[in-house]
Amino acid sequence: MRDDGAVVNRQAPERLSDHALAAFGAVDVDRPFGLYLHVPFCATRCGYCDFNTYTAGELGSSSSPQSWMEGVRRELDAAASMLAPERPVETVFVGGGTPSLLGGDGLAELLDAVRDSFTLAPGAEVTTESNPESTSPEFFDRLRSAGYTRISLGMQSAATHVLSVLERNHTPGRALDAAREAAAAGFEHLNLDLIYGTPGESDADLAASIDAVLSVPVDHVSAYALIVEDGTAFARKVRRGEVPMPDDDVLAARYEMLDARLSAAGLTWYEVSNWALPQTDSVCRHNEAYWRSDDWWGIGPGAHSHVNGVRFWNQKHPATYSASLAGGALPIAGQEMLTADDVHTEAVMLRLRMRGGLPVSMLDDAERARADVAVAAGLLVVASDAYVLTDRGRLLADGVVRDILD
């Protein structure tokens, strides 16, 4: 126990602490609530990925989509029993891993499992990530009829040699065809993911990738700088000198190119790495909930949750996860009660990344003084009583946050 009385248990308790349960009981039922469902399966492992995913060879006979689904159903029931039954789910996000490996019927069954335990709010946003290679027109038709409202496709690049460096197993054109198929099935909300700064990528490669994205009916684009994560195959290649570390100056220039081209096409940044058409329903409401520190329950192996200042996370391995639930225990690997300082730090870190900015009222006098230094340096502006990153400030967002929090 910390000296502030908060409980931090990083072992594997079979239940949430009494502190956590008390916090659950004090939840405002009108506070936005979402569900994240983690599908841990992948056909192959991309060299840069450090997500909690497993190929069939890595799992062997220890786990299967069937045992995972049984665990998910049990966790959904447990979550619903611990929260106010009248509290509707406003957003659902199915991520991974590769959710599309479940097929259209499998993802429909997953959404049915959500409905069996929870009530979806009218107009709920329901998103699934998909690998272009495991989709088809029939797949998208099935998702649309099941009640999904939003599709996020992993494209990463239109350059074959860039995909090769990333160890992605799809062809550049397949992501574009998948987007068209999803639109033909009736999906109005489509996202394509890009990764920029991959060693060997040129300015022309990224420009071609952006042009390709804009050639299909997407209303949302997410673009992330390549990060070398410890423990990945890509990190080992960098360490051995087989590929260079991404260059910070190159990453900054590529980001400026992305922002300029997407803005010219009518997509507006609403978070540092995300752009959407101006319609309100084009933004990803589920991700906005993360950045606002709303409540969500993460279902599945390794999934993280946040409910009324309580953060907890699940056991990572699918077999351990399912076995815990089959034995009547929550699959909790750890939990933490956030202090007031924790909540404040996260609010500064996350709100400042959003276009709406960080309300001036959220900072104390010393922090406002440091934020005003960033204003003088051209990194922030004050708009509608909030500190908002300038174009240059977005390139240095992490540093701006550190300076404000000192």
Side-chain angles (χ1 to χ4, degrees):
M1 181 175 291
R2 295 194 305 231
D3 58 7
D4 61 0
V7 172
V8 180
N9 187 342
R10 297 187 182 275
Q11 303 302 311
E14 294 185 352
R15 61 190 294 276
L16 288 162
S17 69
D18 291 340
H19 291 71
L21 294 174
F24 280 21
V27 169
D28 178 357
V29 296
D30 293 326
R31 183 177 166 88
F33 177 67
L35 288 172
Y36 171 77
L37 298 107
H38 187 69
V39 181
F41 310 112
C42 278
T44 60
R45 182 177 296 281
C46 300
Y48 62 92
C49 179
D50 73 336
F51 293 166
N52 187 44
T53 63
Y54 304 83
T55 64
E58 291 169 338
L59 285 175
S61 60
S62 68
S63 184
S64 67
Q66 292 73 31
S67 63
W68 164 82
M69 181 67 81
E70 290 169 4
V72 164
R73 285 186 176 277
R74 290 188 175 104
E75 190 182 3
L76 283 166
D77 284 344
S81 71
M82 297 172 69
L83 299 170
E86 68 272 21
R87 193 177 190 189
V89 176
E90 299 187 9
T91 64
V92 177
F93 195 105
V94 183
T98 309
S100 48
L101 286 180
L102 299 178
D105 288 342
L107 285 169
E109 180 184 354
L110 184 60
L111 188 53
D112 283 342
V114 169
R115 293 193 183 98
D116 287 343
S117 299
F118 287 93
T119 299
L120 293 184
E125 175 191 88
V126 184
T127 303
T128 184
E129 296 178 338
S130 298
N131 185 316
E133 294 295 334
S134 50
T135 64
S136 66
E138 295 76 20
F139 170 84
F140 292 117
D141 285 339
R142 184 69 180 97
L143 293 190
R144 189 65 180 149
S145 65
Y148 285 84
T149 66
R150 189 172 178 276
I151 300 293
S152 181
L153 293 163
M155 175 177 166
Q156 318 316 349
S157 176
T160 302
H161 67 278
V162 173
L163 293 176
S164 178
V165 172
L166 293 172
E167 299 181 28
R168 293 287 297 184
N169 65 351
H170 66 267
T171 57
R174 178 56 208 151
L176 305 177
D177 288 341
R180 296 185 187 99
E181 291 165 2
F187 282 99
E188 298 178 4
H189 304 305
L190 297 171
N191 171 69
L192 282 174
D193 280 349
L194 290 175
I195 290 178
Y196 60 94
T198 303
E201 177 192 65
S202 66
D203 287 348
D205 291 330
L206 181 58
S209 296
I210 300 168
D211 288 344
V213 166
L214 296 175
S215 73
V216 294
V218 298
D219 67 339
H220 191 288
V221 176
S222 298
Y224 305 102
L226 178 63
I227 297 175
V228 180
E229 301 285 3
D230 290 341
T232 62
F234 196 89
R236 291 190 289 274
K237 288 182 178 181
V238 171
R239 190 166 56 248
R240 292 192 298 263
E242 296 173 14
V243 293
M245 180 73 77
D247 181 271
D248 288 343
D249 291 336
V250 171
L251 293 175
R254 298 276 162 77
Y255 180 87
E256 291 176 326
M257 177 194 295
L258 273 157
D259 186 52
R261 285 176 171 258
L262 294 175
S263 297
L267 286 90
T268 302
W269 78 279
Y270 70 98
E271 191 274 341
V272 169
S273 297
N274 291 273
W275 292 257
L277 290 178
Q279 302 95 294
T280 303
D281 52 359
S282 289
V283 306
C284 180
R285 288 158 45 199
H286 187 84
N287 284 342
E288 278 194 315
Y290 291 155
W291 301 323
R292 290 193 308 260
S293 295
D294 289 341
D295 291 345
W296 73 90
W297 194 299
I299 302 287
H304 285 232
S305 304
H306 173 268
V307 179
N308 198 28
V310 182
R311 178 166 291 123
F312 51 101
W313 50 96
N314 286 346
Q315 296 160 356
K316 285 189 171 184
H317 198 280
T320 306
Y321 165 82
S322 296
S324 293
L325 286 155
L330 283 172
I332 304 295
Q335 58 189 289
E336 180 179 12
M337 295 287 291
L338 299 181
T339 67
D341 285 345
D342 293 334
V343 171
H344 177 72
T345 296
E346 291 191 3
V348 174
M349 290 173 59
L350 297 173
R351 292 291 186 95
L352 200 60
R353 293 181 61 88
M354 300 175 69
R355 189 178 184 88
L358 175 68
V360 173
S361 61
M362 293 184 69
L363 300 182
D364 62 28
D365 290 343
E367 289 169 335
R368 282 197 292 272
R370 293 191 289 269
D372 289 340
V373 172
V375 171
L379 303 177
L380 293 174
V381 295
V382 178
S384 301
D385 294 321
Y387 290 108
V388 179
L389 290 168
T390 63
D391 291 346
R392 180 166 167 263
R394 277 187 279 160
L395 299 174
L396 302 168
D398 291 344
V400 174
V401 168
R402 285 194 300 270
D403 288 344
I404 290 175
L405 293 172
D406 196 29

